[in-house]
Amino acid sequence: MTTTAPRLGTALARLLILAAALLGTLLAGAAPASAHAALTGSDPKDGAVVAAAPKEVNLTFSEQVAMSADSIRVLDPAGRRADTGEILDLCSGSIVRYGVALRAGLPDGTYTVAWQTVSADSHPISGAFTFSIGAPSTTSVALPDRAAGGGLVGTLYGIARYVSYAGFAVLVGGGAFVLACWPRGASVRPVQQTVVRGWLTLTGATLVMLLLRNPYTGSGELSDAFDLAGLKSVLETKTGAALTSRLLLLGAAALFVAVLFGAYARRTDPKEKKDLAFGLGLGGTVVAAGIAGTWALAEHASTGIQPGIAMPVDILHLLAVAAWLGGLTVLLVSLYKAPSVDRSAIERFSKVAFGSVAVLAATGLYQSWRQVGSWSALTGTRYGQLLLVKIGLMCVLIGIAWISRRWTQRLADPKPAEETEETEESAQAEETAQAEETEQAEAQEAEEAEEAEEADESTGATPPAETTGATAPAESAQSASTADPERAAQLARQRAAVATARRKRERDADPERAGLRRSVLTEAAVAVVLLAVTTVLTSTEPGRTEEEAGRGGTAASGPAAVPDRPVDIRLPFDTGGVDGKGIVRLSLDPGRTGANALHLFVERPNGKPLDVPEIKVALTLEAKDVGPLPVAPDRIQTGHWSASGVQIPMPGEWRIQVTVRTSEIDQTTIEKNVKIG
């Protein structure tokens, strides 16, 4: 029995409770399947009313997605499939667009488009919207109330991702700590157990992710985790290949761990140990980089801008995280379980941690620019806000690490002579106290032996044979203990208590080491929270993508509307008469040269449709003296006017004029410049 185990157990329990609480809060606040590809447009648009049934429905995404046979489904008002089930690849250059053909002869009414796919960075995305043919109608189709990747399966998958990051950090960082900082730690059992548990954790989490991948990106039902057909389809995807590769590399990592804690730990010859350390360091770096590459291959770095640079940077980032946080974990265990950890090892780890922080700063700056893209996205998107939280935690962690570094320097400084004398006096006093305790215990045992002997004489028992004065009390105490098991257990507890007190004094006699323990424990606690934030961050749609998707579906501002995207503008008007105030929402799709579909929605200030007698549109390209080109839209329903085949003959900055008449005498003309083509 030792004093360190309860303290370490309590500390780790607090860490786990804190991590679980914060991770649960973060996961609960995050969208269940926030992904990095986003739907930027559709034809027909959400809520559109078209005069005739379109031949197809197509969807435009911000980046590449993986489509399957049922990725896009169109359902009629009665809930029956209105599409042919044939996915159309309409991608062109940088435009990612897929569609599905519709059946002929579709009746009027409201149709539901439900879609689900997987983005290029492995995260499932889904959504649904409606459009109407002729006029809106009631529909029996209920829109999905749960996004892809949500529910119990999504929660379990998210936990497995978090655990896999933690296991990777402990495995790689622990091995690096032993090789680079504390070679003698290879023979320390708590260190061995920690690194092996890191390997087991990462392996188990990877297997769980592989099994949950099919329901995570598909049905969301936990029972589908054991669907062999689904597992086969997962293995054919990029994510399945990455997880399988990780398992294979973990086999090589197991060999590394076996040699590190076997042959390397037993080596006594310095030259042989150095040669083996070089081989383990080289091989371990290759294996660790390969395991880190399985994340870079399937997640953030593999998609978006500059993937050729982003993937190596992501690998460096993960290795730096592991070297710092994993080494910190092993150091924490060593300080509690093996208080004799060398001071030089702590100094070396301090330098390793400093280098890791430098690498993290450089790679993190690049990743932040790549995923956020603008200052507005840093504060106005969920990804940017989480990134700010992560940066704040990093600053706190660096501050605590600086305190740990101060304690390390104090450990390394030689103690003054006065301090040494005080330590020696303290040691002598401790030895005296221990001797007194031993004498008291022996006296108590002798007294108990005498009592037992008197009891034997009173009962007529034969006294034991004569023994020497040195051994008689001990043998008598032993016979008394044998006769009374309860008393023997009590004596054992007393001896354990004495040993516990002695170890406590030994540990408390080194205040610098105690201070280092506290600072490292605090550092580890913040690191656990930081890892939780990082896990949520990797499953959140980047700010750059979110802003691009938002610009694709929002109103154009001034003359600088986004080219080659649908033109959407809002035009307030006031004719001066009764019901003369409102807003015209104008949409010109696809917003480029050639034929376009024009939709106008007239609304009251409160957003409700406003029925007006007449509305007209004119388009003018003043730079080329083209126009005005008149457009006479048809009334579809209350507040909705539409015209198809609106021709835009050439690109440029067009002035769109809308004339709204609200009565026989009240009308006004409003206009706005937009860039088309």
Side-chain angles (χ1 to χ4, degrees):
M1 178 176 178
T2 66
T3 58
T4 56
R7 287 175 173 266
L8 181 60
T10 303
L12 291 181
R14 290 173 181 170
L15 280 176
L16 291 174
I17 292 172
L18 177 64
L22 287 169
L23 181 60
T25 302
L26 291 167
L27 291 177
S34 301
H36 306 162
L39 183 69
T40 58
S42 65
D43 186 17
K45 298 179 68 175
D46 183 15
V49 180
V50 296
K55 293 183 179 179
E56 64 186 42
V57 171
N58 61 66
L59 309 178
T60 304
F61 297 92
S62 60
E63 57 189 51
Q64 193 56 251
V65 294
M67 305 294 288
S68 61
D70 284 335
S71 289
I72 304 176
R73 295 180 298 128
V74 182
L75 307 174
D76 65 14
R80 297 184 297 266
R81 291 288 291 265
D83 61 274
T84 61
E86 179 185 358
I87 299 296
L88 306 175
D89 187 347
L90 306 175
C91 298
S92 175
S94 61
I95 299 175
V96 180
R97 181 177 297 154
Y98 291 91
V100 62
L102 299 182
R103 301 182 186 276
L106 295 178
D108 291 353
T110 297
Y111 288 75
T112 302
V113 181
W115 57 272
Q116 179 172 332
T117 183
V118 180
S119 64
D121 59 3
S122 80
H123 297 283
I125 55 175
S126 64
F129 63 91
T130 62
F131 72 94
S132 301
I133 300 175
S137 68
T138 58
T139 176
S140 62
V141 179
L143 296 179
D145 59 354
R146 186 180 69 186
L152 176 61
V153 170
T155 301
L156 293 176
Y157 194 87
I159 293 173
R161 291 178 69 249
Y162 173 81
V163 171
S164 66
Y165 280 123
F168 173 76
V170 173
L171 171 63
V172 174
F177 179 83
V178 171
L179 279 176
C181 304
W182 195 28
R184 190 171 65 83
S187 58
V188 176
R189 187 166 182 78
V191 173
Q192 296 175 350
Q193 291 174 337
T194 303
V195 176
V196 170
R197 284 167 184 165
W199 183 90
L200 292 173
T201 299
L202 178 56
T203 303
T206 303
L207 286 171
V208 170
M209 291 174 66
L210 193 59
L211 290 174
L212 291 178
R213 185 67 190 172
N214 179 45
Y216 176 66
T217 59
S219 65
E221 300 295 332
L222 187 60
S223 58
D224 287 345
F226 303 99
D227 181 6
L228 295 181
L231 180 60
K232 180 182 177 182
S233 64
V234 166
L235 294 177
E236 295 172 352
T237 65
K238 182 172 68 172
T239 304
L243 292 173
T244 305
S245 300
R246 188 181 303 169
L247 288 174
L248 293 175
L249 288 167
L250 282 169
L255 180 61
F256 168 87
V257 172
V259 175
L260 178 65
F261 297 138
Y264 178 78
R266 292 192 298 268
R267 285 287 189 277
T268 56
D269 183 81
K271 186 178 183 307
E272 290 182 359
K273 200 175 186 70
K274 184 178 179 180
D275 292 341
L276 187 54
F278 176 79
L280 284 173
L282 183 62
T285 301
V286 172
V287 173
I291 296 175
T294 61
W295 273 286
L297 173 67
E299 295 193 354
H300 274 189
S302 64
T303 186
I305 61 174
Q306 301 179 348
I309 299 175
M311 291 180 69
V313 168
D314 195 51
I315 292 173
L316 280 177
H317 191 81
L318 285 171
L319 291 177
V321 169
W324 184 13
L325 302 187
L328 186 70
T329 303
V330 175
L331 174 60
L332 179 64
V333 172
S334 301
L335 287 172
Y336 277 90
K337 287 281 192 176
S340 61
V341 58
D342 301 338
R343 294 181 179 182
S344 59
I346 301 175
E347 282 188 299
R348 284 192 288 268
F349 175 71
S350 181
K351 295 176 182 178
V352 170
F354 180 79
S356 299
V357 170
V359 174
L360 285 173
T363 55
L365 183 64
Y366 170 77
Q367 289 178 329
S368 300
W369 166 81
R370 182 174 177 269
Q371 298 295 343
V372 177
S374 67
W375 292 109
S376 60
L378 187 62
T379 57
T381 64
R382 177 170 176 76
Y383 186 93
Q385 293 161 1
L386 282 171
L387 183 61
L388 290 175
V389 173
K390 179 180 178 181
I391 292 172
L393 288 171
M394 278 290 297
C395 293
V396 172
L397 199 58
I398 291 172
I400 300 172
W402 179 79
I403 296 174
S404 298
R405 189 177 178 87
R406 292 286 301 273
W407 282 115
T408 301
Q409 290 173 349
R410 294 180 66 177
L411 278 174
D413 292 339
K415 294 186 177 182
E418 295 180 0
E419 242 181 85
T420 305
E421 291 175 2
E422 291 177 1
T423 303
E424 291 176 355
E425 291 176 1
S426 175
Q428 291 176 359
E430 184 179 330
E431 290 176 0
T432 303
Q434 291 176 8
E436 291 177 356
E437 290 174 357
T438 305
E439 290 176 1
Q440 291 175 1
E442 290 177 352
Q444 185 176 3
E445 290 175 356
E447 183 180 348
E448 291 172 355
E450 289 176 2
E451 292 177 356
E453 185 175 353
E454 290 175 0
D456 289 339
E457 290 175 356
S458 63
T459 57
T462 302
E466 291 185 1
T467 58
T468 63
T471 59
E475 291 178 357
S476 299
Q478 183 178 2
S479 60
S481 300
T482 305
D484 187 357
E486 184 177 349
R487 180 57 184 161
Q490 183 179 1
L491 290 173
R493 287 194 297 270
Q494 289 175 350
R495 294 190 189 98
V498 171
T500 298
R502 184 173 62 254
R503 291 190 181 93
K504 183 178 185 300
R505 284 193 297 270
E506 289 174 356
R507 187 179 63 195
D508 294 343
D510 192 348
E512 286 81 9
R513 195 175 298 275
L516 181 61
R517 284 194 193 95
R518 289 192 296 269
S519 64
V520 170
L521 178 62
T522 307
E523 195 176 347
V526 177
V528 169
V529 181
L530 177 64
L531 194 61
V533 174
T534 302
T535 304
V536 177
L537 196 63
T538 58
S539 62
T540 303
E541 181 179 347
R544 183 188 294 271
T545 304
E546 186 176 337
E547 279 207 334
E548 289 177 358
R551 285 196 298 267
T554 57
S557 174
V562 182
D564 293 334
R565 290 180 180 269
V567 174
D568 294 300
I569 59 176
R570 293 167 60 88
L571 302 169
F573 67 88
D574 185 0
T575 63
V578 179
D579 277 342
K581 291 185 178 181
I583 296 173
V584 173
R585 290 193 295 112
L586 181 146
S587 173
L588 193 65
D589 193 8
R592 57 172 179 260
T593 56
N596 289 261
L598 175 68
H599 291 275
L600 299 118
F601 299 90
V602 186
E603 300 174 347
R604 301 177 188 274
N606 61 6
K608 294 183 178 180
L610 174 63
D611 200 11
V612 297
E614 185 182 20
I615 189 168
K616 295 183 294 186
V617 179
L619 298 97
T620 304
L621 183 61
E622 293 181 343
K624 301 292 185 180
D625 291 328
V626 177
L629 304 177
V631 179
D634 298 320
R635 182 181 183 278
I636 303 300
Q637 62 178 1
T638 300
H640 182 198
W641 300 69
S642 177
S644 59
V646 177
Q647 292 293 327
I648 304 296
M650 60 185 67
E653 188 174 307
W654 288 79
R655 184 173 75 248
I656 299 179
Q657 296 176 307
V658 180
T659 301
V660 182
R661 183 167 63 85
T662 57
S663 69
E664 292 296 331
I665 59 173
D666 299 316
Q667 78 172 33
T668 186
T669 299
I670 45 183
E671 64 181 43
K672 194 165 191 176
N673 292 343
V674 298
K675 190 172 183 179
I676 301 176

